């Protein structure tokens, strides 16, 4: 009997195995990209909300500074609608559309809150200041403060 030499035939992957590998890899890549895109969108929303709160806080601080200013005081802060567009006696804080350098809109609404239970001295008067930040009609932030006349 003659012995045949054992030949080592290099075996690779079959075409079917390669196709299965490509399909599995592609599916997991699509899922990973989808999760990544959703994460980026949520991060952008959180960033926009944080910026909006900063713009609202900035306007509230301006109103509070006017209230504390001895040359201006409580009377300087007028009751006004959120839609007032130009500075006037009844519009000290006009609508900003857009806020400089952004795509955000900032409105200030000031209402009489003397009858509110939060007003410490209703006889002297209180005003509620509501600052709203929007982008493309969607509210991103809203911040309120109560001004008391003392």
């Amino acid at each position: 009997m003659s012995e045949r030499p054992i030949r080592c035939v290099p075996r690779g992957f079959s075409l079917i195995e390669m196709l299965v590998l490509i399909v599995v890899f592609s599916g997991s890549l699509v899922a990973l990209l989808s999760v990544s895109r959703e994460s980026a969108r949520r991060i952008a929303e959180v960033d926009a909300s944080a910026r909006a709160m900063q713009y609202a806080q900035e306007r509230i601080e301006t109103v509070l500074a006017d209230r504390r200013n001895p040359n201006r005081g409580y009377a300087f802060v007028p009751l006004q609608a959120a839609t007032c567009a130009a500075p006037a006696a009844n519009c000290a804080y006009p609508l900003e559309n857009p806020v400089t350098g952004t795509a955000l809109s900032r409105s200030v609404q000031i209402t009489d809150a003397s009858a509110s239970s939060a007003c410490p001295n209703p006889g002297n008067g209180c005003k509620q200041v509501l600052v709203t930040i929007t982008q493309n009609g969607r509210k991103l932030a809203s911040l309120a403060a109560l001004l008391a006349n003392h």
Side-chain angles (χ1 to χ4, degrees):
M1 247 196 198
S2 69
E3 288 188 28
R4 285 194 218 171
I6 300 175
R7 284 183 17 188
C8 289
V9 178
R11 285 197 72 210
F13 293 104
S14 71
L15 183 59
I16 298 292
E17 290 170 329
M18 289 303 292
L19 287 175
V20 168
L21 178 68
I22 290 171
V23 167
V24 168
F25 181 73
S26 298
S28 45
L29 188 60
V30 166
L32 183 64
L33 289 175
S34 175
V35 167
S36 174
R37 185 179 63 225
E38 180 65 21
S39 295
R41 186 185 67 76
R42 288 188 184 203
I43 288 170
E45 281 181 8
V46 168
D47 182 54
S49 293
R51 265 186 292 118
M53 282 303 285
Q54 288 173 338
Y55 286 123
Q57 181 68 35
E58 176 185 66
R59 182 55 71 218
I60 289 284
E61 288 175 8
T62 300
V63 174
L64 292 173
D66 286 341
R67 164 66 184 92
R68 288 188 299 263
N69 184 334
N71 297 325
R72 292 191 168 171
Y74 180 82
F76 178 82
V77 180
L79 300 180
Q80 71 177 47
T83 55
C84 73
N90 63 345
C91 185
Y93 313 99
L95 173 68
E96 295 173 82
N97 188 14
V99 176
T100 307
T102 71
L104 303 173
S105 296
R106 175 168 54 188
S107 65
V108 179
Q109 179 180 11
I110 303 173
T111 56
D112 185 6
S114 298
S116 167
S117 62
C119 185
N121 191 350
N124 287 344
C126 289
K127 296 176 184 174
Q128 180 179 352
V129 180
L130 178 65
V131 179
T132 304
I133 308 295
T134 59
Q135 183 176 33
N136 301 326
R138 192 175 126 238
K139 187 190 311 186
L140 295 179
S142 187
L143 194 57
L146 187 67
L147 299 180
N149 188 16
H150 42 75

